[in-house]
Amino acid sequence: MATEEISHEQIPGVDPDTPLEEVLVTERPVWEEGPPHKLFKKLRSECPVHWTSEITEYPEEAGYWSVTRADDVHTVSHDWKTYSSEVGGITGLTHAIMPLELQQAMFIAMDPPKHDRLKQLFQRGFTPRRIADHEDEIREIAVRVLDGLGDRERCDLVTDVAQPVVSRVIHSFMGIPPEDDEIWARLMNTMLAADDPDINPEGTETVMKRDVPEIFERCGKMIAERRENPTDDLTSVLVHAEIDGQGLEEHEIVMGFFLLVAAGNDSTKATYSSAMRALMENPEERQKLLDDPSLIPSAVEESLRMFPAFAHFRRTATEDTELSGCPIHEGDKVLMWYLSSNRDESRYEDPDRFDVTRNPEHQAFGAGGRHFCLGTALARLELRILLEETLKRFPEMQIDGEVANVESGFLNQLKTLPVRLRA
């Protein structure tokens, strides 16, 4: 499939005189205007497995390989023996924000067999049938938040709609009371968006000094309550889980709790906000949904393709290997860029075009393998309900102010989306 030629001059944040092989993919200037899609397009075409030699904001961190094509992301994702989640953690930063030991207490940063046993404990609660049983409850939450906007002319779709809806949904699964929604949302946002000066103005060092201790304290109280009085929420599942006859240690329970709340908090919020932005920027696509709401599930899949909530996940090579002819050495970091693979020209025609009828396969939930996202059914249901209910109430919503992205090479989400609700 023919692709448009991109020169260095067209890539924001990249010096035109820097050879492509020497570009540092996660440098802050490269991301100032949002995800660097032009850079990823050039990498897919000319250097699909690319080495970044350093992360200048974190000089103690080693460099990494960027994997940008869908086929290569699929290969890495499926080969957990060669590309480990546990050895080095799941993001490009091994120790800089969250120590590796805490990452490894989450099943997303474990390898089989422990990963499989722990994940299996939760799969019963996230089957499509079980999730479908919650549709009325989730719709009630979305309706309550949207109707709560009342006669307002404007709002911020991220903070006034997406955040309260997704928080209440995942918190209801975890057994967190409504009065604690804002507290846990703040903790998740500052932990995951630690690099963003608006969300976390005190800097990344506060994650370990302030946020992690608060998470352990608050979660510790819930753990003690569930030990004394078990319930049917997912926190109780963690507290009473056994693997090979042994319960989880407290830090494993806390980090398992963190993983589920963080994923539920960020994934749907990110994709919903970006989907609504795309619909407002492409009114002809929005009109298709208004004319035929049965297209909304297809629009959900296209939104997941174009706007995956997480820009990358990371693996670590456990042995010397080769990927698309590129030698990978034991211990090397390998980043799977879903931002890039979901716009791979070899898989999608006109991949940068938002098309609500496309109904694509994609890698927004990972590319299969052991770590395929546990919450896919829940995310899809939330997105469908949110789009249905938002479009029903505000079919002429328009962007009304500056849209801003979270400053992060890990999260792919908006932090502000100011809108005028009615024409």
Side-chain angles (χ1 to χ4, degrees):
M1 191 178 298
T3 61
E4 174 189 357
E5 185 78 16
I6 294 178
S7 68
H8 266 29
E9 288 79 5
Q10 295 173 288
I11 301 176
V14 176
D15 187 326
D17 296 325
T18 302
L20 186 61
E21 292 76 13
E22 297 178 15
V23 170
L24 306 178
V25 173
T26 45
E27 292 301 281
R28 196 175 288 264
V30 176
W31 294 74
E32 281 183 354
E33 298 181 17
H37 291 300
K38 288 185 176 180
L39 173 58
F40 283 127
K41 187 176 218 177
K42 194 169 182 67
L43 290 175
R44 288 193 301 272
S45 173
E46 300 179 25
C47 189
V49 181
H50 173 277
W51 176 251
T52 289
S53 59
E54 61 179 330
I55 307 171
T56 57
E57 282 191 64
Y58 302 99
E60 73 281 6
E61 289 280 348
Y64 56 87
W65 294 101
S66 286
V67 183
T68 58
R69 288 180 180 167
D71 287 348
D72 289 334
V73 168
H74 180 275
T75 295
V76 173
S77 186
H78 280 253
D79 186 0
W80 62 266
K81 292 182 179 178
T82 306
Y83 301 101
S84 168
S85 299
E86 187 169 326
V87 170
I90 55 169
T91 78
L93 302 176
T94 307
H95 294 287
I97 294 178
M98 182 184 290
L100 178 59
E101 294 74 21
L102 286 183
Q103 294 185 55
Q104 291 169 331
M106 301 182 287
F107 64 81
I108 196 173
M110 296 176 185
D111 291 331
K114 187 172 184 180
H115 164 271
D116 296 355
R117 293 168 185 162
L118 191 52
K119 186 175 182 179
Q120 191 173 22
L121 292 171
F122 297 100
Q123 283 180 319
R124 292 189 297 272
F126 284 95
T127 64
R129 178 172 293 182
R130 289 287 296 274
I131 295 301
D133 289 341
H134 291 272
E135 177 166 355
D136 290 345
E137 178 186 355
I138 294 170
R139 192 176 297 276
E140 182 181 329
I141 291 167
V143 166
R144 185 167 64 245
V145 170
L146 288 163
D147 286 352
L149 296 173
D151 295 328
R152 291 172 60 176
E153 292 184 5
R154 298 176 179 84
C155 78
D156 189 297
L157 216 56
V158 177
T159 56
D160 294 329
V161 176
Q163 184 69 74
V165 170
V166 301
S167 292
R168 180 80 309 259
V169 170
I170 191 60
H171 294 172
S172 68
F173 277 78
M174 301 305 298
I176 296 172
E179 59 268 24
D180 288 345
D181 282 354
E182 290 187 16
I183 294 169
W184 282 105
R186 170 182 59 80
L187 287 167
M188 296 303 109
N189 290 335
T190 54
M191 285 280 289
L192 291 176
D195 280 333
D196 190 292
D198 294 325
I199 295 173
N200 193 29
E202 295 177 53
T204 56
E205 65 277 359
T206 61
V207 167
M208 289 306 299
K209 291 179 180 178
R210 179 195 64 199
D211 298 329
V212 169
E214 183 174 353
I215 287 171
F216 269 79
E217 179 184 357
R218 291 183 177 278
C219 197
K221 292 178 182 177
M222 292 183 66
I223 291 169
E225 291 170 0
R226 298 310 190 277
R227 288 198 199 283
E228 189 71 25
N229 298 297
T231 64
D232 60 355
D233 58 44
L234 292 179
T235 302
S236 280
V237 174
L238 276 166
V239 169
H240 297 282
E242 288 190 355
I243 298 177
D244 296 334
Q246 290 193 325
L248 301 178
E249 296 182 29
E250 179 130 341
H251 76 286
E252 292 178 316
I253 297 173
V254 172
M255 294 311 295
F257 176 95
F258 168 79
L259 171 63
L260 294 171
V261 176
N265 178 75
D266 277 278
S267 55
T268 307
K269 177 178 69 175
T271 302
Y272 163 74
S273 301
S274 291
M276 287 304 304
R277 178 189 186 181
L279 290 171
M280 287 183 278
E281 291 177 340
N282 297 273
E284 69 287 352
E285 297 301 305
R286 176 170 62 181
Q287 192 60 47
K288 291 176 185 177
L289 302 186
L290 294 172
D291 293 341
D292 183 4
S294 71
L295 287 174
I296 287 178
S298 172
V300 166
E301 298 308 313
E302 177 72 339
S303 300
L304 287 163
R305 178 188 73 83
M306 290 199 72
F307 316 115
F310 298 97
H312 77 264
F313 275 112
R314 175 259 186 103
R315 302 289 187 263
T316 303
T318 59
E319 59 186 46
D320 290 349
T321 186
E322 186 179 283
L323 187 64
S324 283
C326 181
I328 309 286
H329 299 293
E330 180 181 353
D332 284 355
K333 299 177 183 178
V334 180
L335 272 58
M336 299 177 289
W337 287 104
Y338 308 119
L339 278 175
S340 177
S341 66
N342 275 341
R343 299 191 184 209
D344 187 335
E345 295 80 3
S346 70
R347 291 205 174 187
Y348 310 105
E349 184 175 354
D350 198 3
D352 295 323
R353 180 171 60 88
F354 183 69
D355 178 0
V356 299
T357 67
R358 192 192 302 260
N359 199 24
E361 294 184 2
H362 52 75
Q363 296 179 336
F365 297 120
R370 292 299 219 283
H371 290 279
F372 191 72
C373 178
L374 184 71
T376 54
L378 177 59
R380 285 183 163 116
L381 178 60
E382 284 185 84
L383 287 167
R384 175 171 63 80
I385 289 172
L386 273 165
L387 290 182
E388 288 172 354
E389 298 297 337
T390 304
L391 292 171
K392 187 188 304 181
R393 284 162 180 76
F394 307 112
E396 298 179 321
M397 182 189 294
Q398 296 294 330
I399 297 172
D400 188 36
E402 183 179 354
V403 179
N405 292 275
V406 173
E407 292 185 32
S408 172
F410 177 59
L411 295 181
N412 177 37
Q413 62 180 253
L414 304 178
K415 59 184 173 185
T416 60
L417 180 55
V419 299
R420 179 183 290 273
L421 294 169
R422 300 168 182 87

